Amino acid sequence: MTTALALTQGDPAGIGPEITLRAWLAREEHGLAPFFVIGDPEFLTRIAARLGLAVPLAAVTPETAAQAFTRALPVVRLPDGLTVTAEPGTPDPASAAGTLASIDEAVRLVRAGRAPALVTNPIAKHVLYEAGFRHPGHTEYLAALAAEPGATPPTPVMLLWSEELAVVPVTIHVALRRVPELLTADLVVETARIVERDMRARFGLGQPRLVLAGLNPHAGEAGTMGTEDRDVLAPAIERLRAEGIAITGPHPADTLFHARARAAYDVALAPTHDQALIPIKTLAFDEGVNVTLGLPFLRTSPDHGTAFDIAGKGLAKPDSLIAALKLAGRLTRAPEGVAA
C-alpha cells in the first residue's frame, strides 16, 4: 500500500492553508508524492473559496489518503473534534490548540508507521507563547515529542537544503554577542556527528564531505582577529577527523559559498545563524527546505515563516512547501545522495 506524507496545518492565520492548497494543485506538475494535511476540512474549504481555488477536499484516514490524492486534497481531521475559526492575517492564540494538535497527531502517525515522514507548515511562536506554550520553538517541540516518556529528547540539528547548497548553523536563534560563549568544541563535534550520520542514513551519502566556516574574519587569521577559530573550532575539527569524519576548516566564511568552493563539499557548517542562512537564501530563496536532523523520523518544512502580512490575499508562493514535499518524497522512497 502506498502511504502518504503527513502535513501539518501550521498557524491557520498564516499562509500555510493557501500554500497547502496551491501545492496540491501543482502536484502533477512537480510530481509530488501523495500527502494529507491534518486540519479542519471546513476551514480549508472556506479558504479555497475565498481565494478562488478549485480544490476539492476529501476526509480520509492516513491509509486511504494516497488513493484520494489524485482527485482531492486529503484531510485527516484534527483530533478531539477541534475546529479552526482563524481569520487570515490575524494571529489569534485561540488557534494554538489546533496548531499543536496537528503537530502532535502528525508525530504520532509517523512514529506509528502510518506516514513515512512529517512535513510542517509554518507556526508563529509568539502566538503559541500567548497560549502557554513552553518550548523554545517548533523544532524543540518535535524533539520533545520524539522522546520516550521520561527520556532525554534527541538533539535536533537544522539543515537548510537546496539543490545548490546545504548548510547547518551551529548556533541558531541567539544574539550575536552570545555566540562566542555558546560556541564550544563539544557543540561543534556533536552537531557535525549528527550531520554526518544523517547525511549517510537519510541522504544516502557514503562519505559526506563537511566543511566548517570560521567565526571571525579570515577565520581569525592565526588568532590576530579573534581566538575562537584557533582555540575552539580547529580542535573540534581534529577530534572529528580522528573519528573518520571528512571535515575541513575553519575556512574564511566569505570565500566558502561561491560555485567553485561549493563543488568541494556536501554540507557547510557555520558558527552563526546568518553565516549559514544568508548564502542559501541568496541562492535558493524560494526553494530552500528546512530539514531537521537528529530525530528518529524525517521532518522537512518550508524555509519561511507564517507571513501574516500577505495571508488570505492570494499572494503566497508555494515553492518552498513544494520543495519540502518533494524532498520528503525523494528521501522516503530511497536515499539517492540528493545533498547539494
Side-chain angles (χ1 to χ4, degrees):
M1 177 188 298
T2 301
T3 55
L5 303 169
L7 174 64
T8 65
Q9 70 168 23
D11 190 308
I15 61 172
E18 178 177 346
I19 61 176
T20 295
L21 295 166
R22 293 190 184 279
W24 182 82
L25 287 172
R27 65 198 183 284
E28 294 182 359
E29 176 187 353
H30 292 281
L32 296 183
F35 64 87
F36 60 86
V37 59
I38 302 171
D40 178 354
E42 286 75 23
F43 172 74
L44 288 169
T45 296
R46 293 195 299 272
I47 295 299
R50 174 176 179 150
L51 297 171
L53 300 176
V55 180
L57 275 69
V60 299
T61 66
E63 290 74 22
T64 61
Q67 183 178 1
F69 184 73
T70 57
R71 58 179 175 80
L73 172 62
V75 183
V76 171
R77 288 185 178 274
L78 291 169
D80 303 321
L82 287 169
T83 59
V84 176
T85 58
E87 178 66 20
T90 306
D92 185 356
S95 297
T99 300
L100 294 175
S102 181
I103 298 170
D104 294 349
E105 183 68 3
V107 171
R108 187 185 71 81
L109 293 173
V110 171
R111 295 195 70 191
R114 299 178 68 190
L118 166 64
V119 182
T120 59
N121 263 309
I123 63 172
K125 294 188 289 292
H126 70 90
V127 176
L128 299 181
Y129 292 155
E130 291 181 43
F133 187 68
R134 291 292 177 263
H135 295 269
H138 202 166
T139 300
E140 292 83 359
Y141 185 53
L142 290 170
L145 294 176
E148 297 298 331
T152 301
T155 300
V157 168
M158 182 169 73
L159 168 75
L160 284 304
W161 180 92
S162 72
E163 296 285 357
E164 293 80 14
L165 175 66
V167 294
V168 169
V170 179
T171 65
I172 307 178
H173 298 121
V174 297
L176 193 58
R177 60 184 170 79
R178 293 194 59 211
V179 170
E181 68 184 78
L182 298 172
L183 190 66
T184 65
D186 285 345
L187 176 62
V188 173
V189 168
E190 181 181 26
T191 302
R193 285 172 176 164
I194 292 170
V195 172
E196 199 267 351
R197 183 193 69 208
D198 277 18
M199 295 309 291
R200 287 177 181 271
R202 298 210 183 278
F203 285 76
L205 295 182
Q207 181 67 70
R209 301 168 300 163
L210 311 182
V211 293
L212 177 64
L215 173 65
N216 298 294
H218 300 181
E221 202 159 302
T224 61
M225 288 189 288
T227 60
E228 292 86 359
D229 301 280
R230 181 192 66 196
D231 298 341
V232 178
L233 302 187
I237 288 172
E238 291 178 8
R239 287 169 57 185
L240 291 163
R241 291 176 67 84
E243 296 176 9
I245 293 176
I247 184 169
T248 62
H251 300 282
D254 62 346
T255 60
L256 198 53
F257 298 108
H258 61 84
R260 191 167 64 254
R262 298 198 308 271
Y265 61 81
D266 298 305
V267 184
L269 283 68
T272 73
H273 176 277
D274 283 8
Q275 282 179 314
L277 271 70
I278 287 173
I280 194 167
K281 289 195 174 185
T282 299
L283 291 168
F285 186 81
D286 292 321
E287 299 82 23
V289 179
N290 183 347
V291 185
T292 304
L293 307 180
L295 300 179
F297 49 79
L298 175 66
R299 180 262 185 136
T300 68
S301 72
D303 184 21
H304 59 68
T306 51
F308 290 124
D309 57 323
I310 62 170
K313 299 178 180 178
L315 302 175
K317 297 179 66 174
D319 302 48
S320 189
L321 176 59
I322 288 171
L325 290 163
K326 287 182 69 174
L327 182 60
R330 289 167 66 179
L331 296 182
T332 53
R333 281 197 297 270
E336 299 169 350
V338 297

